[in-house]
Amino acid sequence: MSLPHLRLGVNIAHVATVRNARGGTHPDPVRAAMAAEAAGADGITAHLREDRRHIRDADMYAIKQAITVPLNFEMAATDEMIDIALDVKPNAACIVPERREEVTTEGGLAVAGRESELEPYFARIRHAGIRLSLFIEPSEAEIRAAAAVGADIIELHTGRYCHDESGRTAELERIIKAAELAASLGVECHGGHGLDFATVGAIAAIPQMHELNIGHFLMGEAMFSGMDKAIAEMRRLMNEVRPS
Ligand code: PXP
């Protein structure tokens, strides 16, 4: 059985964080998105946070215009964000939980038990022809809830796997089971958060994974080796376990 091509989605939001530190226009996240595409990214992810701490509205429109690979628009489930997403028309909207005080997206979206609250937001996305992706923990309840609300994609939170070395084996097992369950329910499985050269292999080896979204490590690595080399090395490590 041949495995699906494992796509590499590159999150360029951190470039905007550096730009905003000086209030100017450099480094430009749009240029980063174009460079990532040129270096082999299969998709670009950008997160428009409620507080606009990195990507801004105008960046999102400009990135969509500048790239030819699919745009994955990460956002909270709010009317404001969905209005913008419907206007930008990305390939996918990835719904994440968002708290202003967090440094990064700390946990998965709680879907189970909140279906009736969230469904109106999800319906707006799906009716606009945008793929609905839900960033969730690798738990059976969340995967079943995501499938029941009609998610096209679940993105499994790999942060615990990456950061908790002592619990890594158990967490990998959870992610493997979660990916199998998603596939059995007909939901496309993605993964992301905290992945680096050391952790990507085990996640890329999961046969049901279709896409990995990687940002912080890749942008940091690009400072040392350049975008081309950082993305090429990530791609090589993915191909090592998933020859296409
Ligand atoms: N996927 C989602 C849904 C995220 O929120 C993030 C972080 O913005 C990522 C993937 C990428 O995580 P990292 O920057 O740790 O690679």
Side-chain angles (χ1 to χ4, degrees):
M1 188 191 76
S2 76
L3 298 180
H5 170 67
L6 182 59
R7 299 163 43 81
L8 172 59
V10 175
N11 185 332
I12 45 72
H14 291 285
V15 175
T17 304
V18 177
R19 175 198 60 191
N20 297 354
R22 287 290 175 95
T25 57
H26 184 79
D28 180 3
V30 182
R31 183 174 162 199
M34 293 166 72
E37 177 175 348
D42 298 295
I44 299 296
T45 292
H47 185 178
L48 186 63
R49 295 186 75 102
E50 190 192 11
D51 62 8
R52 310 305 200 265
R53 73 173 71 153
H54 38 56
I55 293 291
R56 299 179 183 134
D57 304 39
D59 297 325
M60 203 54 106
Y61 286 93
I63 291 167
K64 174 70 173 37
Q65 285 290 318
I67 61 175
T68 63
V69 290
L71 172 64
N72 181 32
F73 186 145
E74 228 189 288
M75 63 183 175
T78 65
D79 280 322
E80 182 204 14
M81 284 303 151
I82 291 169
D83 286 346
I84 298 168
L86 265 47
D87 203 34
V88 171
K89 300 185 181 65
N91 176 266
C94 180
I95 309 299
V96 300
E98 208 174 289
R99 290 187 299 119
R100 273 178 186 257
E101 63 274 22
E102 70 191 357
V103 175
T104 181
T105 314
E106 284 167 2
L109 183 73
V111 182
R114 292 177 59 219
E115 291 86 345
S116 53
E117 173 198 337
L118 292 169
E119 267 174 335
Y121 298 108
F122 297 163
R124 290 188 66 202
I125 292 167
R126 292 212 322 272
H127 292 159
I130 297 169
R131 301 186 80 203
L132 175 65
S133 172
L134 303 180
F135 184 57
I136 59 174
E137 296 292 328
S139 94
E140 180 176 347
E142 291 301 344
I143 292 157
R144 290 195 184 281
V149 297
D152 300 290
I153 300 162
I154 54 156
E155 182 172 324
L156 295 174
H157 198 313
T158 54
R160 187 172 298 120
Y161 167 76
C162 293
H163 298 131
D164 174 11
E165 279 187 43
S166 63
R168 191 166 277 175
T169 309
E171 189 61 14
L172 181 59
E173 273 308 305
R174 283 181 82 208
I175 295 171
I176 290 170
K177 285 206 173 70
E180 286 169 356
L181 178 60
S184 75
L185 297 171
V187 182
E188 188 173 305
C189 186
H190 297 181
H193 214 286
L195 292 168
D196 62 14
F197 289 156
T199 52
V200 75
I203 301 296
I206 299 171
Q208 295 83 6
M209 280 288 172
H210 284 249
E211 179 172 309
L212 301 181
N213 281 304
I214 309 179
H216 184 264
F217 176 81
L218 269 180
M219 293 306 106
E221 196 57 23
M223 288 182 192
F224 299 111
S225 63
M227 188 80 86
D228 281 0
K229 281 196 180 147
I231 290 180
E233 177 61 5
M234 193 61 84
R235 186 75 253 175
R236 187 188 70 75
L237 292 164
M238 289 162 65
N239 288 350
E240 223 171 49
V241 293
R242 288 277 288 267
S244 45

